[in-house]
Amino acid sequence: MKVLLVDDAAFVRMSLKKILNDADFGFEYVEAGDGEEAIEKYKIYSPDLVIMDITMPKVDGITAVERIKEIDSDAKIIMCSAMGFQEKVVDAITAGAKDFIIKPYEADKVVKSIKAVLKLDEE
Ligand SMILES: [Mg+2]
């Protein structure tokens, strides 16, 4: 499975990758550093899952989710944001995100969210 990691901070994408590698999902990774790049890479790679930051240059995460859902209404997107931006949860879910996680990432919460969104425990 392919996962698109979207965050303007490279170290955040790296820490996410470490969590996902440690959890043995066996994902292939595609990365984007802003919302515009995320939309482009979604079109090219059709990832099975997107993990999307909110605050980013050019196109923010909420707008990117709306655009990706227009391209693929079945897109599975987990939104994430730093502590203190919880009011964005509603915007994210309205835009079409399936779940919301708070940074800094806690490995068990990230893994649980991914399993729920991809319905991995049901197989
Ligand atoms: Mg950011």
Side-chain angles (χ1 to χ4, degrees), residues 7-9 53-57 103:
D7 200 297
D8 53 324
D53 183 27
I54 290 187
T55 310
M56 293 183 292
K103 290 193 273 188

Side-chain angles (χ1 to χ4, degrees), residues 2-4 27 47-51 76-78 114 117-118:
K2 232 175 292 168
V3 57
L4 173 58
F27 288 141
D48 302 280
L49 176 70
V50 182
I51 302 181
K76 295 185 175 68
I77 306 168
I78 297 171
I114 290 171
V117 168
L118 292 179

Side-chain angles (χ1 to χ4, degrees), residues 57-117:
K58 292 184 192 171
V59 174
D60 69 85
I62 302 278
T63 307
V65 169
E66 288 168 351
R67 302 266 295 278
I68 288 171
K69 293 296 276 195
E70 283 167 15
I71 296 162
D72 176 8
S73 60
D74 290 330
K76 295 185 175 68
I77 306 168
I78 297 171
M79 209 77 204
C80 46
S81 186
M83 209 85 84
F85 286 85
Q86 282 90 334
E87 75 273 13
K88 292 281 184 192
V89 174
V90 177
D91 292 345
I93 302 297
T94 305
K98 298 233 187 269
D99 201 5
F100 198 98
I101 49 182
I102 300 293
K103 290 193 273 188
Y105 296 120
E106 289 171 48
D108 57 334
K109 287 188 181 158
V110 173
V111 169
K112 208 174 147 192
S113 173
I114 290 171
K115 284 184 174 170
V117 168

Side-chain angles (χ1 to χ4, degrees), residues 3-60:
V3 57
L4 173 58
L5 305 177
V6 189
D7 200 297
D8 53 324
F11 77 92
V12 173
R13 300 197 301 269
M14 217 169 9
S15 75
L16 253 182
K17 252 194 271 183
K18 189 187 181 317
I19 291 171
L20 304 191
N21 282 336
D22 289 349
D24 280 328
F25 281 113
F27 288 141
E28 277 177 63
Y29 301 108
V30 180
E31 296 182 44
D34 61 61
E36 192 175 288
E37 196 186 344
I39 296 159
E40 287 312 308
K41 295 231 166 130
Y42 193 93
K43 287 184 199 163
I44 297 168
Y45 296 101
S46 312
D48 302 280
L49 176 70
V50 182
I51 302 181
M52 176 87 76
D53 183 27
I54 290 187
T55 310
M56 293 183 292
K58 292 184 192 171
V59 174
D60 69 85

